[in-house]
Amino acid sequence: MSAKIIALANQKGGVAKTTTALNLAAVLATKRKKVLLVDSDPQGNASSGVGVFQSKQGKNIYSCYSRSAETEECIQDTSLKNLSILPASMDLAGVEVELINQQDREKTLKGVLRPVRESFDYIFIDCPPSLGLLTVNGLTAADSVLIPLQCEYFALEGLAQLVTTIRSVKKTLNRELYIEGLLLTMYDRRNRLTHSVAAEVKNHFGDQVYSTVIPRNVRLSESPSHGKTIVEYDKNCSGAKAYTKLGSEFLKRSQQGSQP
């Protein structure tokens, strides 16, 4: 059975997109799922967040895009059993320019992942905080898209633009694409605005919003600087418990089939 591919996307930065990609992937790995994390962001935060600061022999996702290496050669194990990564590099920033004149440029990542899809249960693509060609490649390669959303005033403003992009990709490049779910992050129960944003998101998207919310948590912010996922860094903190709960909810939805 081939892997389910989930893109994590939001053109707004600072919404815990990479944090969610890292830690949801890690939780599923602890539940004995074989997981590949694809770092499709030139900043490379997902790579350093699992302790991969230098790709082996300089082989990374850019090597796949430029066809200078096979996908299998570029994938690395992490310190967590069952979790592998296709790391990023700063060279990835030039991909959008390099692909611009290529035919089917939006489908490049789909082709990159095809040879390894049978080797995993889940593949998570951490897209950059933009709606450029790298993100469109992620959405074209994916079965579904998971949208982390910060509980703040401007959250809904960017969401409309993202949903428009998802619909456009669905219409022209990937008819099967659907929204896996919306995840409320940096949730502060004491803040009235948090509750207001959460209510509005649930009003618009209903059951597509995960019941699990991710709280503001210092340990979550600290763990990437140590090159560890939260389940390795501090599995008893509130952030780890929230992502563990999300992992269970994610698997339950996947088994039931969350496509509307």
Side-chain angles (χ1 to χ4, degrees):
M1 189 177 158
S2 63
K4 180 175 185 177
I5 303 179
I6 304 99
L8 284 94
N10 193 327
Q11 76 274 26
K12 196 174 183 307
V15 298
K17 179 180 53 59
T18 300
T19 302
T20 298
L22 281 171
N23 294 309
L24 179 54
V27 166
L28 296 187
T30 66
K31 293 177 183 288
R32 299 182 182 177
K33 303 295 182 186
K34 280 192 68 71
V35 185
L36 174 65
L37 182 57
V38 177
D39 191 350
S40 194
D41 185 345
Q43 294 175 82
N45 292 336
S47 304
S48 59
V50 292
V52 174
F53 297 93
Q54 192 70 44
S55 53
K56 55 181 182 182
Q57 291 103 38
K59 291 176 181 175
N60 49 57
I61 193 170
Y62 177 74
S63 315
C64 300
Y65 267 106
S66 62
R67 297 185 173 88
S68 62
E70 297 297 322
T71 311
E72 295 94 326
E73 298 174 68
C74 303
I75 291 172
Q76 291 183 230
D77 293 331
T78 71
S79 56
L80 194 63
K81 189 181 177 185
N82 297 324
L83 179 61
S84 303
I85 186 157
L86 179 53
S89 77
M90 287 302 290
D91 295 331
L92 196 56
V95 160
E96 306 217 350
V97 176
E98 291 168 28
L99 287 180
I100 204 74
N101 293 318
Q102 283 191 28
Q103 197 174 3
D104 289 335
R105 58 185 179 269
E106 300 92 350
K107 297 179 181 177
T108 309
L109 184 57
K110 187 174 185 175
V112 166
L113 297 179
R114 192 176 292 121
V116 299
R117 195 165 180 174
E118 302 293 326
S119 306
F120 297 93
D121 297 310
Y122 293 97
I123 297 175
F124 290 95
I125 305 169
D126 185 32
C127 298
S130 74
L131 294 178
L133 199 47
L134 284 172
T135 295
V136 171
N137 262 273
L139 295 175
T140 305
D143 297 305
S144 63
V145 54
L146 195 161
I147 306 170
L149 205 64
Q150 191 177 349
C151 292
E152 58 154 48
Y153 181 70
F154 293 113
L156 294 166
E157 208 172 68
L159 184 58
Q161 197 181 352
L162 176 59
V163 169
T164 299
T165 301
I166 292 167
R167 283 180 182 151
S168 173
V169 169
K170 184 179 172 76
K171 192 175 177 181
T172 59
L173 296 162
N174 182 2
R175 287 185 179 180
E176 306 302 314
L177 184 67
Y178 65 96
I179 294 176
E180 182 74 33
L182 287 90
L183 176 68
L184 297 170
T185 64
M186 302 181 192
Y187 198 92
D188 184 351
R189 295 183 190 281
R190 300 162 301 175
N191 188 322
R192 190 182 297 173
L193 181 62
T194 292
H195 293 282
S196 171
V197 170
E200 199 163 340
V201 172
K202 284 171 184 170
N203 184 43
H204 277 83
F205 291 93
D207 291 343
Q208 288 182 311
V209 184
Y210 287 102
S211 59
T212 305
V213 296
I214 307 301
R216 287 190 179 275
N217 181 238
V218 173
R219 304 296 274 172
L220 268 181
S221 307
E222 288 173 351
S223 60
S225 63
H226 295 269
K228 291 182 177 179
T229 63
I230 196 63
V231 292
E232 298 165 284
Y233 184 64
D234 185 352
K235 65 180 181 182
N236 295 313
C237 72
S238 63
K241 287 175 181 174
Y243 275 112
T244 301
K245 190 179 171 191
L246 176 66
S248 299
E249 186 179 357
F250 173 87
L251 287 175
K252 190 177 176 184
R253 283 185 177 213
S254 283
Q255 283 150 13
Q256 290 170 345
S258 60
Q259 183 168 3

